[in-house]
Amino acid sequence: MMSLSRLWILCGGISLFLACPGTAMAQTQSQGSGQTQEPPPSGGSQPPGQAGASGASDVVRGSSGGSFSRVVPLVTFSERYDTNVFFSPAKISDFVTSIRPGARMEYRDDLVDGSLTGGAVAEFYARNPELNYVGGNAILSGSFDNLVGRMVRGLGLRILDSFIYTPQPMAFVTPQAPETSFLRGIQTVRNNYLSNSANIMSTYAMTPVTLVNASYSNQIMRFFNQTFPSAPGTTPPALFNTNVNVFSAGPQYLLSATESIGASYMYQKMDFEPNTGVGAGYGVATHGVMATWKSSFTREWTIELSPGVTVLNTLPDTLIWTMRAMLGWTDGRTSAGLTYSRGVYPSFFVSATALISNVVNATFSQNLSSDWSLSAQANYGYNESTGGVQGLRFESYDFSGAVNYRVYQGMVASLTLTQGNYSYGQAGSPDVKFDRQTAVLYLTAEWN
């Protein structure tokens, strides 16, 4: 482990290097709301979307006619008051200082379009210095539609990979953490973990209005032995290393430029192993079908409905109805969204099993002026076991609200408040319940 003194020197050196006006940063540009930070702990205590600065683009001409690349250094400083740093009923509060240096790299030419955003996070705890840590995260995305389209006319290909290493578990999707099978409202105790989600998505246009879509994702979650207890004098529930592989494919028909219908088949395989390495592993698979209708029925409103059924391969097989519904509205200055999803997802906490998972998410944002903006997010999740383990349940809800102010071009200050309530339990035992509140002040800068 790196000593605190060395860590402070390293972070200070990085910040000083990035802040120097004379530093030579090749092909550096900016982009709105692209700040990459460690996906924050559950409860919605994430840095809000940041408004980036704009500048002249650096374009590198190539033999294909033109390419574009840029590197944007980023850094965020924050101070947080956290009422439950262990994510457990034994509430212990602390003041936490965070430093998040990072960068966003982009490349675009006639054949490919991609970006890589990543960074490190160092957190320092005033009352519990044994919790100090260094972590990191990265998001890689790329579009190869033009490249593969030259080989097979009408074929498209995209990739997305997200990675995080942190001791602070998340329960729900955040702007910095793309949707995965692990963000369904399950709030684990504090523990070092690594998560990676790799996704490949392809589309083949058979005709101008008839498409075939296919996708594959590999998602992993690994827990590591902690160097600190989950809470003084307590033994945390079991954690399970989990692999999820998902394949889906199906047709889509474009009714108009703003409306489409489709259908898909999905196969999912979930595998579990105790993170202690002691005990047998466990696996379960599902097969499902889903119909989808999407429409942008006005310039402001969008809607999606995707009902379906899934068969869980147990003895006997279990038939489960599924749903994904989304309603969104925006007028340029204000946006709001409501989503509901129900499906079969893995439990990696307390017991390894399949869960029937229900999640509701609501978001709202408004630009009050060129410098001021507001945002809010609410989540509710209810999960109950099915198949091999009966009586396991998780229930979570949280809320976050943020006020953002652009100090000057490329620098944003934000104040975020969060409230979260979480519970879990099994049949025959009382539920474990706890809550968590945070107040966080952020200062984020981008260099151009």
Side-chain angles (χ1 to χ4, degrees):
M1 292 293 295
M2 185 181 298
S3 68
L4 274 179
S5 61
R6 292 182 179 178
L7 182 59
W8 276 109
I9 293 172
L10 175 60
C11 293
I14 293 174
S15 302
L16 181 61
F17 172 78
L18 295 178
C20 290
T23 301
M25 299 301 300
Q27 301 165 0
T28 300
Q29 292 297 320
S30 66
Q31 173 176 312
S33 64
Q35 171 65 28
T36 294
Q37 301 159 344
E38 180 207 25
S42 169
S45 60
Q46 75 273 3
Q50 311 295 349
S54 61
S57 300
D58 291 320
V59 179
V60 181
R61 297 295 174 185
S63 58
S64 61
S67 63
F68 168 87
S69 62
R70 63 181 175 183
V71 178
V72 182
L74 316 164
V75 66
T76 295
F77 299 92
S78 68
E79 188 68 28
R80 177 174 86 247
Y81 175 69
D82 194 327
T83 65
N84 195 341
V85 295
F86 286 107
F87 303 88
S88 76
K91 292 182 66 175
I92 296 179
S93 62
D94 210 333
F95 292 91
V96 186
T97 301
S98 298
I99 304 174
R100 293 179 171 91
R104 181 176 65 252
M105 294 168 283
E106 300 177 0
Y107 179 81
R108 189 162 61 244
D109 63 18
D110 294 341
L111 300 179
V112 299
D113 185 352
S115 67
L116 172 62
T117 310
V121 56
E123 292 209 333
F124 307 93
Y125 292 73
R127 299 172 179 171
N128 300 273
E130 70 277 9
L131 301 185
N132 296 350
Y133 74 92
V134 176
N137 79 307
I139 298 178
L140 171 68
S141 64
S143 173
F144 302 89
D145 291 348
N146 293 339
L147 178 63
V148 298
R150 291 191 176 187
M151 306 175 194
V152 179
R153 185 179 179 85
L155 184 63
L157 180 66
R158 299 172 305 283
I159 64 169
L160 174 65
D161 188 277
S162 60
F163 165 86
I164 178 174
Y165 175 72
T166 178
Q168 299 198 82
M170 296 173 291
F172 293 103
V173 172
T174 72
Q176 288 74 35
E179 182 177 359
T180 72
S181 296
F182 307 122
L183 300 177
R184 301 292 302 179
I186 300 176
Q187 182 62 72
T188 71
V189 296
R190 185 184 184 97
N191 197 306
N192 299 321
Y193 81 94
L194 178 152
S195 177
N196 190 82
S197 175
N199 305 269
I200 301 176
M201 298 148 285
S202 181
T203 297
Y204 176 63
M206 301 178 63
T207 71
V209 296
T210 306
L211 312 176
V212 177
N213 301 311
S215 66
Y216 168 76
S217 72
N218 173 260
Q219 306 169 48
I220 64 172
M221 177 173 281
R222 296 289 182 270
F223 295 96
F224 303 96
N225 292 331
Q226 324 182 110
T227 57
F228 45 81
S230 62
T234 66
T235 300
L239 292 163
F240 297 88
N241 296 331
T242 305
N243 283 21
V244 180
N245 289 276
V246 181
F247 169 78
S248 68
Q252 180 182 7
Y253 182 76
L254 306 180
L255 299 174
S256 68
T258 59
E259 187 175 13
S260 68
I261 58 174
S264 62
Y265 161 80
M266 184 178 76
Y267 171 78
Q268 178 179 223
K269 182 66 164 61
M270 298 177 285
D271 295 292
F272 309 88
E273 290 183 355
N275 78 308
T276 59
V278 178
Y282 170 73
V284 65
T286 67
H287 301 266
V289 293
M290 179 178 290
T292 299
W293 171 65
K294 299 179 182 180
S295 177
S296 299
F297 51 92
T298 70
R299 296 182 60 181
E300 294 83 16
W301 290 93
T302 58
I303 188 171
E304 175 184 342
L305 293 174
S306 300
V309 293
T310 291
V311 176
L312 178 64
N313 290 155
T314 56
L315 292 175
D317 288 344
T318 305
L319 185 65
I320 301 164
W321 68 271
T322 63
M323 172 64 75
R324 182 174 182 87
M326 183 275 291
L327 181 65
W329 177 84
T330 182
D331 67 354
R333 292 177 58 89
T334 305
S335 63
L338 180 66
T339 63
Y340 168 71
S341 64
R342 172 185 167 93
V344 180
Y345 292 88
S347 168
F348 45 86
F349 183 45
V350 183
S351 294
T353 187
L355 298 171
I356 299 177
S357 176
N358 298 268
V359 171
V360 179
N361 168 266
T363 59
F364 172 83
S365 64
Q366 184 173 34
N367 294 323
L368 302 177
S369 68
S370 58
D371 295 328
W372 289 92
S373 65
L374 301 174
S375 62
Q377 178 172 321
N379 302 286
Y380 174 78
Y382 183 79
N383 298 267
E384 57 183 348
S385 58
T386 184
V389 177
Q390 296 297 326
L392 177 65
R393 58 194 175 275
F394 301 91
E395 186 172 18
S396 305
Y397 63 88
D398 64 25
F399 171 82
S400 66
V403 178
N404 314 308
Y405 174 67
R406 187 177 67 169
V407 181
Y408 62 82
Q409 194 81 343
M411 179 172 288
V412 175
S414 306
L415 175 64
T416 300
L417 303 177
T418 73
Q419 165 70 48
N421 293 75
Y422 313 97
S423 67
Y424 60 88
Q426 288 183 291
S429 61
D431 286 358
V432 177
K433 299 181 179 181
F434 61 96
D435 58 78
R436 177 173 179 254
Q437 299 81 33
T438 67
V440 196
L441 180 63
Y442 298 98
L443 184 63
T444 299
E446 297 185 358
W447 279 264
N448 304 288

